[in-house]
Amino acid sequence: MDKYLIISDIDGTLAYDHQHVSAKTVAVLQQLLDAGHEFYAATGRMYNLAKVIADQVDDRAEIIASNGAVYDFNGDRVHHLMGEHALTLTEQAAAAQNLPAVYFTDDTVYYTKTPSQSVIDTMMSFASAAANIAVKQVHTLENLLGHVGEITNGIIFSPHDPESLARTMMTLAASNAMHLSASDATNIELIPKHVDKSTAIAELQAKTGIPASRTIVFGDGLNDLGMLKAAGISVAMGNAVPDVAKAARFQTLSNTEDGIAHFLENYFK
């Protein structure tokens, strides 16, 4: 049997409401795991938030978290860190525009400037009581840098001030100190330099020996564009943004219509 590497974004793709995976999608993925294929949930979420969703699929489901900065392989967990320089530049750029930046380890959220209630509400929409995460304010850059050895990625939210967000993006892009992405127009996702979901997939392809031609990737958002290019079989959800729909080789139904299950049932029949 030719083994496939099946990878799905979580929000807007695998999960139909940020919290749950449909019974039909779970059943199809479990059948493919039983057949010997590998499945990864790939997301910008921190590891413990991703695990809550992956565990709904199966305890054999693996995780690519923090936009590729963290991933599972053979019982181990690989980490790429943002580093002191990137953290310092991010704090300075966000502070200059009075925007909150939030940083992640596998199980802890750190911040210096208290986010607005709308930002907190956005973050909590992804949270789960089962996720086992801590949220800590560290107040100063110096205190934040005390956690430099564990922070893998971050995000800057600005749901109501796109101009400030754009200026922050320009400043950080000019620094060339990190990889920048976005899940939508209200945020900047901060990832270690030369890292994204696609680099994690490339590392997994090399380690497993599964080529791009047998890699299936599902996505819907802008931060999925890189990993779609890493797959020979790239699939945009029916609810995908236009750039993702254009980049993918195939399209399926939306995340609320069991789009993953629909495609996989037809592909492997």
Side-chain angles (χ1 to χ4, degrees):
M1 181 201 78
D2 289 331
K3 180 184 287 190
Y4 278 73
L5 182 60
I6 303 165
I7 301 166
S8 173
D9 173 55
I10 289 181
D11 296 292
T13 305
L14 179 63
Y16 60 81
D17 64 351
H18 297 310
Q19 299 284 354
H20 303 96
V21 183
S22 75
K24 181 175 182 179
T25 297
V26 168
V28 170
L29 289 172
Q30 287 180 344
Q31 288 173 1
L32 292 170
L33 286 165
D34 290 342
H37 303 295
E38 297 199 19
F39 174 72
Y40 275 79
T43 180
R45 295 181 182 213
M46 60 197 296
Y47 187 91
N48 278 16
L49 284 181
K51 191 174 189 308
V52 171
I53 302 299
D55 284 351
Q56 291 181 40
V57 175
D58 196 278
D59 58 10
R60 295 168 293 177
E62 305 273 30
I63 296 166
I64 298 171
S66 297
N67 277 318
V70 183
Y71 65 87
D72 291 325
F73 182 71
N74 274 358
D76 292 325
R77 202 178 302 170
V78 177
H79 292 84
H80 299 282
L81 303 176
M82 281 189 68
E84 181 175 341
H85 182 53
L87 286 174
T88 301
L89 289 174
T90 299
E91 276 293 288
Q92 292 171 343
Q97 300 298 326
N98 198 32
L99 297 178
V102 180
Y103 307 94
F104 306 101
T105 71
D106 287 357
D107 59 9
T108 304
V109 179
Y110 291 108
Y111 64 92
T112 56
K113 174 182 169 59
T114 303
S116 67
Q117 188 59 49
S118 63
V119 169
I120 292 172
D121 290 343
T122 299
M123 292 177 60
M124 291 307 295
S125 71
F126 297 90
S128 165
N132 189 28
I133 61 172
V135 180
K136 298 181 180 180
Q137 185 169 19
V138 290
H139 297 288
T140 68
L141 173 60
E142 181 180 6
N143 290 339
L144 179 68
L145 293 178
H147 303 281
V148 69
E150 55 180 328
I151 292 174
T152 55
N153 64 307
I155 191 166
I156 298 173
F157 286 105
S158 184
H160 306 300
D161 189 354
E163 291 82 10
S164 292
L165 192 69
R167 287 191 290 269
T168 305
M169 173 69 92
M170 290 178 61
T171 298
L172 293 176
S175 75
N176 197 33
M178 67 201 83
H179 180 81
L180 304 174
S181 185
S183 54
D184 61 43
T186 68
N187 64 60
I188 304 171
E189 296 188 341
L190 315 159
I191 314 163
K193 192 174 181 179
H194 304 309
V195 170
D196 66 7
K197 292 179 183 178
S198 70
T199 61
I201 291 172
E203 290 176 23
L204 288 168
Q205 288 167 336
K207 290 178 177 182
T208 61
I210 300 174
S213 61
R214 295 202 307 275
T215 301
I216 304 174
V217 166
F218 296 90
D220 74 300
L222 294 175
N223 63 346
D224 298 324
L225 284 170
M227 72 172 184
L228 290 173
K229 296 175 183 177
I233 306 157
S234 54
V235 187
M237 304 301 290
N239 52 290
V241 299
D243 285 350
V244 170
K246 183 178 180 180
R249 287 185 60 197
F250 302 96
Q251 292 193 30
T252 187
L253 302 177
S254 74
N255 64 317
T256 60
E257 299 171 300
D258 296 312
I260 291 175
H262 176 78
F263 181 88
L264 292 174
E265 282 184 322
N266 283 283
Y267 187 86
F268 286 100
K269 67 182 179 182

